[in-house]
Amino acid sequence: MHYVTDKPVEATLPPHCTLLLIVDPVSTACRIAQEASKRSHRIGAIWTSTIDTDERDPARYGCASLRYTFELIEGRDWTTTNGKEIDVVQSVVNEAAHSFNLTIAGCITGSGLPRSSQLADGLAKRMDLSPCTTPTTMIDVRNKFTQQTLLETSDLRSIKQVRGSSLDDEAISKFLDGGKYPLVVKLDQIGIQGGKIKSCHTKQEAKDHFQYLSQVVASSNNRTGAQIICQEYLRGVEVMVDSVSHNSKHKTCMVWRYDKRPANGERNVNFGMIPMESESHEAALAIPYVRKCLDAMGMKNGPSHAKCIVTVDGPVLVELNFRAYGGDGSWCHLARALTGGYSQVEASVDALLDPAAFDLLPDVPIGPFNAYGMQVYLVSHSCGEVTSMPGFQVMKHLPSFVSLSTDITVGSMVEYTTSFSTSPGVCVLMNKDESKLNKDLDLLHYLEEINALFDYKTKVESLARPTAATYSKQQKKNSRMDDMEKPSLVRIYSNDPKLTRQGMLMKRVTTIDASKEVVVVVDPYSTGCLVVNEIRNRGYQVIACWTLGFSEEMKTHTPGAAGEMKYFAELDEQEDLADTVKAIYEAAGKLRVVACIAGGEAGVDCADALSERMTLRTNGTHVANRRDKKIQQELIRDAGMRSVRQAAGSKWEHVIEFLQTEHYPVVLKPTDSAGSDGVKLCHNIEEAKEHFHHLFEVEAVNGGFNTEVLCQEFLRGKEYVVDQVSRDGIHKTMMVWVYDKRPANNSAFVYFGMVPVDPNSMEAKILIPYARGVLDVLGVQNGPSHAEVILTPTGPCLVEMNVRAHGGDGNWRSLARGLTGGYSQVEVTVDSYLDKKQFMITPNLPPTPFRASGQEVILVSYSRGRVIGTPGYDIIRDLQSFVYMETGIKVGSFVERTVDLLTGIGSVILMHEDESVLNADISRVREMELNNELFEFERPGAMLTNASQRHLSEIIVSDEL
């Protein structure tokens, strides 16, 4: 679609006129063709097989009115035989020109692809026309390595570099040994799949990437003879100089400065191109330097654009492209307005077809410019399927708006912007008033930041907290557990002996003969495995009782700190409670059963029933369905405590009235979910209905199927966890945590960590009595529990009470021990059942202040890709406060941007006696996340060039032009 205000010029062609040949006229070349056509010249398009059919339409580049006199297509109109392509194409071209009675006046390349350029130069030389460069069979001046070599031989500043195919090459080895880091390692040719350009900060990193590129070249069969370049890393201002030449006379059409900044996990995302006046410091240095570069490479005729870095030592060429600046020519309107009427497009036609007009052009753009303006490359901080583009309408009404080039329409998929190819478009702004331009620019960037450019097809948001079980989870459509790939976790521990001195590894012993006694643990998984080990460490035997339907996968879900699990016996729950009790006594044999504890969420009800029947310490069954989240809310509401508005049912009809009247968003989850299993935030009734039915189709994380779905109001406020242990109704608080949840990657609730809360804080003083009151209402008198509570503006409100130890594989245990000076919920859980004296002397609250500073840092990815290296792990492991790291990401893993539990990439426990050290280490981790330093990703190809081949299918131009 094209919306333009300037009507196409229908040239009246004379009986005999000139013909301009363009090989592969794409992008800005279409603008050149259209300008030549307006001047009554005919255009002949020559298409090589490197350009797809759908790329040949001028309308894709904003030139819908352009008509070619003829189009010659490889494979249809000619084929290459015996390496004589130039002869064959020349014959076909001459025949076509003769049939239209046309005189061939010029031949240029319309694409940056080597094949297009070589054919255009070959034809121009053979037909004695004006090629872009002086073709030679000796060297290829478009090769980036060759360009630098030519500069060096011409005594021009060039990039220090070497090239080779093996690390054993003497030049490569010497360069890596003596180079100043960082260095750039890349292929000397573009377009090879996986040929990523990389800045390497160490010799080993450079060698690793060299080896990686060697494998890329090998896998490509290296038909092009590609080699690997090692270059110095340039620091300075990146500029681009647009030039046009005629008979070796070079004129500068515009100098642009790149506006590059970090975004979406990438360090150098292009936010725009800013025109620079010729008298500016960088332009004054770059213009004469680039002209010397053009002479050094034999550039005589036609357009070119050079990318340079203006360093403290002067400008240095990065690459020189022998064609017009790309970007589909969306910058043309701006350039013409700034210069007073011309751009590189018009100058190119002058140089090729009207030398007298070219001579009249200024040597450089005359300053000051007639207005202020820039190209704004749109940056998306979100992704999804587009349902509307409200931001585009806002842009069109900005006072500075000139044009918008985009290929985004309803139904398009927008990606996070990390390169030119993922930018959703280019907006050109211009205004005679600089303050108005800046105001419009600020508004445009604000639209980007708040994700107001697009409306997306709504997706259901997960409220689940990432755990070890999810870091490498592969979820399929209809199953969340049986189809789950068993987590392959990487666990890294600190070797710091200070952790032992802090009491974190303190072992407790019992004062009785425990070897004759046994404890039943029902469904011991996650933190329950740590409880089992603590029991065994005190001399007791353990029987594992697995509840009916419990997933076989979850039976193997063992935290790294637990090691290999060993039980005195294992048995399955029977259909009848009495039969289960009988099976336990038979398994125990001569050992006395002294306790029955829930080892996980699924085992809570069974443990209560068994302990009650066996007259052990118990919470009993007098409160029916204690695990049911709906029942929990009803009980505390009846007790006069703040509760959640809700409705539950097994059929849609049971909840539809609530969902039709409740304010959105709302939370849907199974009534007996484990942790965040199946918990979703739904933004409208359609999403709620979809997730409601979905929960009945999938298996629960612990096995079995959901029987009822709970729909609740969405509570606004910070979410806390209150970990407690009880004995005979005496509740002792082990720790209060607050979830660090923030927006990221277009998701409103991404977990960044879990932070301990000082028990003397105002929040803790409100939360602890509330959580203990909930325990009393629910009849919980014994054992561990953790309450998830939202501190709303009207006070604390229960999300759910879990009558078991805090989960998360107990990764928090070492941190809790360090904060308290030696104990955590794990140890005190065992005390509550087996050691009354130790339980009674355990503090009512954690110490204040804590014995150290620490928190769990949940890692967040702002990038995506296949992992080829994990340099961030080594940095994290060397942090002063490092204690423990758990992640499912390793070389070969595919990382997504973190938006929910399935895209979590791991967690790190940090702790140190000095709070400033802890804060510095947390900042370093967050910095690595933002700068995409945790992982090295495999790239399908280098994306560090300008958007010259980008096809922006919609061009909207201001009505005032």
Side-chain angles (χ1 to χ4, degrees):
M1 293 181 289
H2 302 277
Y3 304 94
V4 295
T5 56
D6 48 336
K7 295 182 179 179
V9 176
E10 296 293 340
T12 303
L13 298 175
H16 181 87
C17 64
T18 55
L19 172 70
L20 176 64
L21 299 174
I22 305 181
V23 180
D24 293 335
V26 297
S27 189
T28 306
C30 280
R31 305 268 184 175
I32 294 174
Q34 184 168 260
E35 176 65 22
S37 180
K38 290 178 180 180
R39 300 187 192 186
S40 300
H41 300 285
R42 296 288 188 98
I43 308 299
I46 303 173
W47 298 108
T48 67
S49 58
T50 57
I51 305 298
D52 294 335
T53 301
D54 61 345
E55 295 179 290
R56 300 171 187 165
D57 184 3
R60 295 191 61 164
Y61 314 104
C63 301
S65 63
L66 176 62
R67 298 292 183 271
Y68 299 120
T69 300
F70 60 79
E71 297 181 69
L72 303 178
I73 302 173
E74 182 178 9
R76 187 193 71 180
D77 300 300
W78 93 87
T79 56
T80 302
T81 57
N82 300 323
K84 297 182 178 180
E85 181 175 45
I86 301 299
D87 295 335
V88 173
V89 177
Q90 180 186 6
S91 175
V92 175
V93 167
N94 285 335
E95 182 180 350
H98 179 74
S99 66
F100 287 97
N101 195 27
L102 300 173
T103 300
I104 301 174
C107 180
I108 62 172
T109 180
S111 162
L113 298 174
R115 176 87 190 285
S116 308
S117 302
Q118 292 166 3
L119 180 57
D121 282 351
L123 284 172
K125 182 180 180 181
R126 183 66 57 85
M127 303 170 95
D128 196 24
L129 302 172
S130 297
C132 291
T133 64
T134 303
T136 173
T137 58
M138 299 298 293
I139 58 173
D140 177 12
V141 295
R142 292 178 177 82
N143 182 281
K144 309 313 178 200
F145 187 88
T146 302
Q147 289 182 357
Q148 298 298 327
T149 302
L150 288 172
L151 296 183
E152 186 177 2
T153 58
S154 300
D155 293 327
L156 293 172
R157 173 72 163 94
S158 60
I159 299 177
K160 298 179 180 65
Q161 62 177 4
V162 293
R163 179 174 60 174
S165 57
S166 170
L167 285 171
D168 295 330
D169 292 350
E170 183 178 354
I172 296 292
S173 178
K174 185 176 179 181
F175 191 83
L176 295 182
D177 285 339
K180 294 181 180 180
Y181 288 88
L183 294 176
V184 175
V185 181
K186 63 180 182 180
L187 295 177
D188 65 349
Q189 299 180 20
I190 63 173
I192 297 179
Q193 187 79 4
K196 175 186 175 184
I197 300 174
K198 180 175 174 57
S199 299
C200 302
H201 294 263
T202 65
K203 178 182 177 180
Q204 188 58 51
E205 190 177 5
K207 292 175 68 174
D208 290 345
H209 192 59
F210 193 102
Q211 293 282 37
Y212 164 73
L213 291 178
S214 298
Q215 295 172 5
V216 169
V217 171
S219 63
S220 68
N221 296 321
N222 198 19
R223 296 176 180 176
T224 60
Q227 291 185 293
I228 300 165
I229 299 177
C230 299
Q231 292 180 329
E232 67 172 309
Y233 178 81
L234 299 173
R235 290 183 172 88
V237 178
E238 188 173 0
V239 300
M240 184 166 65
V241 181
D242 294 346
S243 305
V244 175
S245 306
H246 177 68
N247 290 337
S248 299
K249 181 177 180 59
H250 314 300
K251 296 196 175 186
T252 304
C253 299
M254 188 60 65
V255 179
W256 309 88
R257 175 173 65 83
Y258 287 90
D259 177 15
K260 289 188 176 181
R261 316 175 209 165
N264 296 323
E266 294 290 339
R267 295 184 183 180
N268 295 298
V269 174
N270 196 25
F271 279 70
M273 301 288 283
I274 303 172
M276 305 180 70
E277 294 192 354
S278 304
E279 294 79 11
S280 67
H281 174 70
E282 290 84 0
L285 292 173
I287 289 171
Y289 171 80
V290 167
R291 291 182 179 180
K292 292 178 182 178
C293 294
L294 291 170
D295 289 335
M297 296 177 200
M299 177 65 177
K300 292 187 175 183
N301 295 284
S304 63
H305 65 279
K307 183 187 295 185
C308 299
I309 303 291
V310 181
T311 72
V312 293
D313 299 323
V316 184
L317 183 74
V318 176
E319 62 184 36
L320 181 58
N321 298 281
F322 301 96
R323 55 183 169 83
Y325 169 32
D328 293 350
S330 59
W331 42 268
C332 293
H333 294 292
L334 174 60
R336 283 198 293 265
L338 298 180
T339 61
Y342 75 96
S343 72
Q344 191 183 38
V345 169
E346 290 77 19
S348 296
V349 177
D350 289 343
L352 292 165
L353 303 173
D354 194 348
F358 178 81
D359 291 338
L360 295 176
L361 291 175
D363 187 58
V364 297
I366 298 175
F369 289 141
N370 294 334
Y372 300 92
M374 68 176 298
Q375 302 173 71
V376 182
Y377 281 78
L378 302 181
V379 174
S380 172
H381 299 281
S382 55
C383 65
E385 182 179 341
V386 174
T387 58
S388 65
M389 298 85 70
F392 288 178
Q393 298 305 312
V394 175
M395 274 184 237
K396 289 176 64 178
H397 290 90
L398 294 176
S400 306
F401 176 77
V402 174
S403 68
L404 172 64
S405 301
T406 178
D407 56 4
I408 303 300
T409 59
V410 173
S412 298
M413 290 299 298
V414 169
E415 298 291 339
Y416 294 91
T417 302
T418 56
S419 63
F420 285 104
S421 64
T422 50
S423 170
V426 180
C427 179
V428 176
L429 300 179
M430 183 176 63
N431 203 302
K432 290 185 176 295
D433 187 332
E434 187 177 14
S435 64
K436 291 182 179 178
L437 172 72
N438 290 333
K439 184 178 180 180
D440 289 348
L441 181 61
D442 290 342
L443 177 57
L444 194 155
H445 287 322
Y446 178 69
L447 294 174
E448 294 173 332
E449 291 170 5
I450 65 173
N451 295 317
L453 292 179
F454 310 108
D455 286 334
Y456 297 110
K457 184 177 181 180
T458 309
K459 59 182 180 181
V460 179
E461 292 190 65
S462 171
L463 300 181
R465 176 191 184 282
T467 65
T470 64
Y471 292 141
S472 60
K473 189 173 181 179
Q474 304 294 320
Q475 182 173 338
K476 298 184 180 180
K477 182 176 180 181
N478 292 322
S479 173
R480 292 201 306 279
M481 203 61 238
D482 282 347
D483 290 332
M484 186 181 85
E485 179 183 305
K486 183 178 179 181
S488 177
L489 295 174
V490 177
R491 296 180 171 103
I492 303 172
Y493 301 87
S494 172
N495 294 319
D496 191 343
K498 290 188 297 184
L499 301 180
T500 303
R501 294 199 298 270
Q502 291 173 348
M504 294 171 57
L505 305 180
M506 182 181 69
K507 180 177 178 180
R508 297 189 181 194
V509 296
T510 183
T511 58
I512 62 175
D513 185 6
S515 63
K516 299 178 180 180
E517 297 175 330
V518 66
V519 176
V520 178
V521 181
V522 183
D523 292 341
Y525 68 98
S526 186
T527 308
C529 294
L530 302 182
V531 173
V532 168
N533 279 355
E534 179 66 22
I535 294 171
R536 293 183 70 253
N537 287 341
R538 299 192 190 188
Y540 296 91
Q541 297 294 335
V542 176
I543 293 175
C545 176
W546 303 107
T547 54
L548 289 171
F550 191 77
S551 168
E552 290 297 323
E553 289 284 351
M554 290 303 291
K555 292 180 182 180
T556 63
H557 182 61
T558 305
E564 183 181 357
M565 300 304 298
K566 295 180 180 180
Y567 301 107
F568 180 76
E570 294 184 63
L571 57 88
D572 294 326
E573 179 189 14
Q574 305 300 302
E575 293 289 345
D576 183 75
L577 180 61
D579 291 338
T580 305
V581 172
K582 180 181 178 182
I584 289 173
Y585 282 130
E586 289 177 351
K590 295 181 179 181
L591 299 182
R592 184 165 69 95
V593 180
V594 293
C596 181
I597 306 173
E601 181 66 27
V604 171
D605 290 341
C606 181
D608 285 343
L610 287 172
S611 57
E612 184 178 56
R613 175 66 67 92
M614 300 170 74
T615 64
L616 302 171
R617 185 169 302 281
T618 184
N619 288 316
T621 58
H622 60 286
V623 177
N625 300 320
R626 185 184 286 115
R627 285 180 60 222
D628 189 309
K629 314 311 178 192
K630 174 175 176 287
I631 299 297
Q632 290 181 357
Q633 296 294 335
E634 291 174 349
L635 289 173
I636 63 172
R637 181 192 62 203
D638 293 343
M641 302 178 72
R642 171 72 161 94
S643 62
V644 180
R645 295 190 300 274
Q646 63 180 11
S650 57
K651 296 182 179 179
W652 177 245
E653 293 76 20
H654 298 163
V655 299
I656 188 171
E657 183 178 355
F658 172 82
L659 293 173
Q660 287 176 334
T661 57
E662 181 61 33
H663 295 292
Y664 282 84
V666 296
V667 176
L668 268 70
K669 59 185 176 182
T671 55
D672 57 353
S673 63
S676 298
D677 177 35
V679 181
K680 297 288 184 179
L681 185 68
C682 302
H683 296 269
N684 52 55
I685 195 168
E686 290 78 16
E687 289 180 6
K689 184 176 182 179
E690 179 182 353
H691 190 57
F692 182 93
H693 293 300
H694 171 73
L695 288 174
F696 289 105
E697 296 172 356
V698 295
E699 187 179 352
V701 70
N702 294 326
F705 286 86
N706 301 309
T707 58
E708 192 175 45
V709 173
L710 182 61
C711 308
Q712 294 180 326
E713 69 168 305
F714 175 61
L715 297 171
R716 300 183 186 277
K718 286 188 176 181
E719 184 176 1
Y720 296 80
V721 180
V722 184
D723 292 347
Q724 305 197 86
V725 178
S726 307
R727 180 183 171 97
D728 295 334
I730 298 174
H731 312 303
K732 297 197 174 186
T733 303
M734 300 294 100
M735 192 62 64
V736 178
W737 312 88
V738 61
Y739 286 131
D740 177 10
K741 292 195 290 188
R742 318 174 205 169
N745 295 321
N746 199 36
S747 181
F749 307 102
V750 174
Y751 282 88
F752 279 71
M754 190 172 70
V755 183
V757 177
D758 190 320
N760 199 37
S761 66
M762 185 60 69
E763 294 89 342
K765 289 179 179 179
I766 294 173
L767 292 163
I768 292 172
Y770 176 84
R772 291 181 177 180
V774 173
L775 289 173
D776 291 337
V777 170
L778 299 182
V780 178
Q781 294 191 337
N782 295 285
S785 63
H786 70 277
E788 297 177 15
V789 183
I790 302 289
L791 193 53
T792 74
T794 58
C797 184
L798 181 73
V799 175
E800 58 187 45
M801 176 65 78
N802 301 280
V803 190
R804 57 176 171 85
H806 188 158
D809 278 2
N811 290 341
W812 43 266
R813 185 188 186 190
S814 56
L815 174 59
R817 284 174 163 180
L819 298 178
T820 62
Y823 69 91
S824 73
Q825 191 184 40
V826 172
E827 292 79 25
V828 181
T829 292
V830 179
D831 292 341
S832 69
Y833 285 96
L834 303 174
D835 195 336
K836 177 180 179 180
K837 180 179 179 181
Q838 184 62 47
F839 177 84
M840 297 309 294
I841 65 174
T842 299
N844 183 48
L845 299 172
T848 180
F850 291 131
R851 301 290 187 261
S853 298
Q855 72 172 75
E856 178 185 16
V857 177
I858 298 177
L859 301 178
V860 174
S861 171
Y862 293 93
S863 303
R864 67 189 300 271
R866 182 75 60 186
V867 175
I868 61 173
T870 56
Y873 288 1
D874 293 334
I875 296 174
I876 291 174
R877 185 168 49 193
D878 290 338
L879 296 175
Q880 293 185 62
S881 62
F882 174 74
V883 176
Y884 173 80
M885 178 168 67
E886 185 163 88
T887 175
I889 305 302
K890 54 188 177 181
V891 172
S893 300
F894 193 91
V895 168
E896 294 285 355
R897 292 182 178 86
T898 304
V899 295
D900 55 21
L901 83 166
L902 291 177
T903 49
I905 57 174
S907 73
V908 178
I909 300 296
L910 300 179
M911 182 173 62
H912 199 274
E913 296 172 351
D914 188 337
E915 185 177 7
S916 64
V917 172
L918 171 72
N919 291 335
D921 287 352
I922 293 172
S923 297
R924 181 69 181 102
V925 173
R926 297 305 180 203
E927 179 185 9
M928 286 193 292
E929 292 172 337
L930 288 171
N931 293 335
N932 191 26
E933 295 173 341
L934 288 177
F935 309 113
E936 293 177 11
F937 293 116
E938 176 183 318
R939 299 286 178 96
M943 303 300 294
L944 303 181
T945 58
N946 65 325
S948 58
Q949 299 303 316
R950 175 174 171 76
H951 306 313
L952 301 171
S953 63
E954 179 175 346
I955 298 182
I956 305 172
V957 181
S958 171
D959 295 335
E960 297 180 1
L961 291 181

